[in-house]
Amino acid sequence: MNINRRNMIRASVKMAVAGTLGLQASRVMASPEDTAKALAAFAGDATPTAGTITLTAPEIAENGNTVPISISVDSPMTEDSYVESVTILAEDNPNPEVVTFHFTPASGVARASTRMRLAKTQNVIAVAKMNDGSVFTDTRNVKVTIGGCGG
Amino acid sequence: MAAKPRVKVPKKASAGYIITIKTLVTHKMESGQRKDKEGNVIPRKIINKFTCEFNGNVVFTCDIDPAVSANPYLEFSAKVMESGTFKFIWLDDDGTTIETTKDIEVS
Amino acid sequence: MHRVFEKTNVALTSLLLVAIVGTANAGGPVDEKLIIDGELEMITRTAAPEGHPLDEVISGWHYRTPETRALEADSFQNPGMLGVELGEEYWNKVEGTEGKSCASCHNDAASSMVGVGASYPKWHAPTSRPINVELQINQCRVNNMGAEEYAFDKSGQKPLTAYIKHQSYGKPVKLDLEEGDMKAWWEKGKELYYKRTGQLNLSCASCHEKNNGKYIRADHLSQGNVNGFPTYRLKQAGLISTHNRFRGCIRDTRAEFPKAFSDELMALELYVTWRGTGLSVETPGVRQ
């Protein structure tokens, strides 16, 4: 991973975070600072690099109440080298934190799935932290369509 | 009355094999963001932590925030080397736990 | 959404029409098969029964997104199964003055209740009207157990109904219209289905017959079949009963809505269930 690419990714993470500013219509949303803070709390000083982790999420969620997501990290899972944890953040939810998975070498593979709530259309960010402190990230935009009919 | 937690673990596996575990538990996951008819905030009450152990050793844990959907679903993996028992623990905000176990035969 | 309806009825009526017309060619049922756990193939499309206005009856499953469809196709991941398993606990629970549970008389539902849920509503001679599974449960609770009726959607009603219907998982819906006055009730249900009501002047048919396959705002309209009920709805994160769904749909046309288990809703359930004749019971279906 060369420096240029790292910087680019750092910029794009910042942009993604800042992008919510323009949309901030309601006070129940997390602020971009909240997301940045949550990211820093998880990743420390490390700059997240794109790749290695894959986040799977629907392009369109029929209802923001139940959005299936999965993560998978391409990494060995040995005592020497393994994925410690993966956190999921949702930029435009009331609070950005969603869930943090903690793996061990006994996990065999760093894969996990759950279902989450999304207040509106937004970016979902997955961040993986390896036992050597390196950090990787992936982002998906999920469009939330909330049906207004039929109760 | 509440349903028992649902856990899916293969009954048998070969040593060194990575199995998939699925869990589903009944819980409202009251986010603390909703209001009742009178406009009062309904207090947060969620499952905030999940732990999976195998023969007493931690395999996978998970910190859960209110953004996880009601009736939380968790799917993850485990590498099994020997026969034994998986233990699953869901921790509620109120301090109570939901627990269940599943045995696996490894050859 | 409902608050919006109240404020801007007129605007909404036209918005509604624009929403339907504006996307007239989008959508339609997906061409996929529902095979539960890769083992049990469900009948989700079939030739309509004689006298049906459409050529083919299609399950609401075909109108949902890939993720929602996948939830139903995996019987472990289907969150409605939590409700079914809760139903099993109610099945075995002793209640009432007779000291009995459902199992005391009906033993293992996995054999005694197979196919039962696929044939409701049924004619009920003692009360001279069609009854659904919910009302049959109440009959047994009062007459055979000396227990209280379940109030609408309360206590064990939804889980127990889901549990009983789930014993017909995959079995085709088939009603017996020859018994009692079933035909007259069918006619009454049909009349209600086509009757335009409410401030939006819509009938069930306006949405589910004329416009199925199209989008109404963000919602992909299905034929409005009931073969998956009680369904697990992502919106409420719980089981939703047939009459709750009907009332929701009627309320959305801004009409007065009848009570659960009223003659109107029983007639409607009978007719709407018949419209889905031949579809597999999917209980618990998963919907948005």
Side-chain angles (χ1 to χ4, degrees), chain C residues 15-87:
Chain C
L15 194 128
L16 199 72
L17 296 175
V18 170
I20 294 179
V21 174
T23 52
N25 297 319
V30 294
D31 191 15
E32 302 257 336
K33 283 192 167 149
L34 173 54
I35 305 172
I36 308 288
D37 304 332
E39 284 168 8
L40 175 63
E41 183 166 342
M42 294 285 189
I43 306 162
T44 55
R45 304 180 81 128
T46 189
E50 211 188 305
H52 198 295
L54 304 169
D55 295 334
E56 191 184 22
V57 292
I58 305 174
S59 159
W61 179 81
H62 282 277
Y63 298 82
R64 307 280 52 94
T65 59
E67 293 78 19
T68 310
R69 293 202 305 274
L71 269 187
E72 187 174 328
D74 180 333
S75 71
F76 184 86
Q77 287 201 41
N78 182 341
M81 289 302 294
L82 286 167
V84 169
E85 288 184 356
L86 181 58

Side-chain angles (χ1 to χ4, degrees), chain A residues 27-28 65-67 93-95 97-109 111-117, chain B residues 18 24 28-29 31 33 35 58-71 73-79:
Chain A
R27 62 179 173 78
V28 293
N65 256 341
T66 314
V67 183
N93 268 1
N95 297 299
E97 296 87 357
V98 178
V99 66
T100 305
F101 306 117
H102 302 284
F103 301 96
T104 66
S107 302
V109 54
R111 260 206 307 257
S113 306
T114 189
R115 299 170 191 153
M116 63 176 289
R117 294 167 168 153
Chain B
I18 296 172
L24 185 63
K28 265 195 134 155
M29 294 294 284
S31 67
Q33 301 287 339
K35 288 183 176 163
V58 171
V59 174
F60 171 85
T61 70
C62 175
D63 299 320
I64 301 172
D65 288 284
V68 166
S69 306
N71 305 325
Y73 175 75
L74 287 168
E75 181 180 321
F76 52 92
S77 302
K79 188 173 183 174

Side-chain angles (χ1 to χ4, degrees), chain A residues 57-68 113 115 117 144-151, chain C residues 1 5 63-65 67-68 71 77 79 217-219 233-236 245 248-249 251-252 288:
Chain A
E59 265 171 60
I60 300 173
E62 269 186 303
N63 193 292
N65 256 341
T66 314
V67 183
S113 306
R115 299 170 191 153
R117 294 167 168 153
V144 178
T145 67
I146 301 163
C149 213
Chain C
M1 229 345 134
F5 267 112
Y63 298 82
R64 307 280 52 94
T65 59
E67 293 78 19
T68 310
L71 269 187
Q77 287 201 41
R217 294 185 299 279
D219 257 324
R233 285 194 66 191
L234 305 181
K235 181 178 175 180
Q236 285 95 346
R245 181 40 124 162
C249 275
R251 188 185 53 215
D252 282 348
Q288 79 286 22

Side-chain angles (χ1 to χ4, degrees), chain C residues 263-283:
Chain C
D263 287 356
E264 285 90 340
L265 290 196
M266 278 315 307
L268 203 52
E269 178 175 354
L270 166 52
Y271 178 72
V272 174
T273 307
W274 171 83
R275 283 177 75 107
T277 296
L279 293 176
S280 288
V281 172
E282 287 173 31
T283 311

Side-chain angles (χ1 to χ4, degrees), chain C:
Chain C
M1 229 345 134
H2 305 306
R3 249 167 280 132
V4 178
F5 267 112
E6 272 149 39
K7 279 184 205 142
T8 54
N9 268 329
V10 180
L12 229 127
T13 313
S14 48
L15 194 128
L16 199 72
L17 296 175
V18 170
I20 294 179
V21 174
T23 52
N25 297 319
V30 294
D31 191 15
E32 302 257 336
K33 283 192 167 149
L34 173 54
I35 305 172
I36 308 288
D37 304 332
E39 284 168 8
L40 175 63
E41 183 166 342
M42 294 285 189
I43 306 162
T44 55
R45 304 180 81 128
T46 189
E50 211 188 305
H52 198 295
L54 304 169
D55 295 334
E56 191 184 22
V57 292
I58 305 174
S59 159
W61 179 81
H62 282 277
Y63 298 82
R64 307 280 52 94
T65 59
E67 293 78 19
T68 310
R69 293 202 305 274
L71 269 187
E72 187 174 328
D74 180 333
S75 71
F76 184 86
Q77 287 201 41
N78 182 341
M81 289 302 294
L82 286 167
V84 169
E85 288 184 356
L86 181 58
E88 183 172 5
E89 295 189 22
Y90 278 104
W91 180 264
N92 292 309
K93 189 178 169 192
V94 173
E95 274 185 277
T97 53
E98 304 301 306
K100 288 193 160 75
S101 71
C102 314
S104 313
C105 294
H106 297 291
N107 304 309
D108 185 359
S111 51
S112 67
M113 290 291 142
V114 176
V116 170
S119 62
Y120 273 77
K122 255 187 197 173
W123 185 250
H124 189 242
T127 52
S128 272
R129 67 197 292 258
I131 59 167
N132 55 13
V133 173
E134 287 88 337
L135 291 177
Q136 173 66 54
I137 294 170
N138 276 348
Q139 285 287 329
C140 278
R141 283 180 62 84
V142 172
N143 301 329
N144 296 322
M145 293 166 72
E148 299 255 308
E149 286 189 354
Y150 286 137
F152 175 51
D153 274 357
K154 291 280 152 54
S155 186
Q157 188 169 77
K158 284 189 285 181
L160 203 42
T161 302
Y163 178 64
I164 291 171
K165 289 218 176 160
H166 186 67
Q167 308 309 320
S168 302
Y169 210 35
K171 298 261 182 305
V173 170
K174 189 168 177 12
L175 300 186
D176 182 355
L177 298 180
E178 301 303 321
E179 288 290 311
D181 291 335
M182 289 287 271
K183 284 212 177 93
W185 282 76
W186 181 92
E187 288 291 349
K188 186 174 167 179
K190 182 177 176 185
E191 198 179 295
L192 288 164
Y193 193 86
Y194 287 98
K195 192 172 147 206
R196 289 175 174 271
T197 56
Q199 295 167 31
L200 299 183
N201 200 33
L202 295 169
S203 69
C204 312
S206 314
C207 286
H208 293 298
E209 184 173 308
K210 291 208 187 70
N211 285 301
N212 76 72
K214 294 171 192 164
Y215 282 84
I216 179 166
R217 294 185 299 279
D219 257 324
H220 195 192
L221 278 170
S222 72
Q223 292 184 353
N225 283 314
V226 289
N227 56 308
F229 279 85
T231 52
Y232 186 90
R233 285 194 66 191
L234 305 181
K235 181 178 175 180
Q236 285 95 346
L239 289 179
I240 297 299
S241 65
T242 308
H243 287 206
N244 183 342
R245 181 40 124 162
F246 284 176
R247 281 156 57 94
C249 275
I250 297 169
R251 188 185 53 215
D252 282 348
T253 66
R254 306 290 308 128
E256 290 294 318
F257 50 93
K259 277 207 167 100
F261 312 136
S262 60
D263 287 356
E264 285 90 340
L265 290 196
M266 278 315 307
L268 203 52
E269 178 175 354
L270 166 52
Y271 178 72
V272 174
T273 307
W274 171 83
R275 283 177 75 107
T277 296
L279 293 176
S280 288
V281 172
E282 287 173 31
T283 311
V286 181
R287 302 290 186 259
Q288 79 286 22

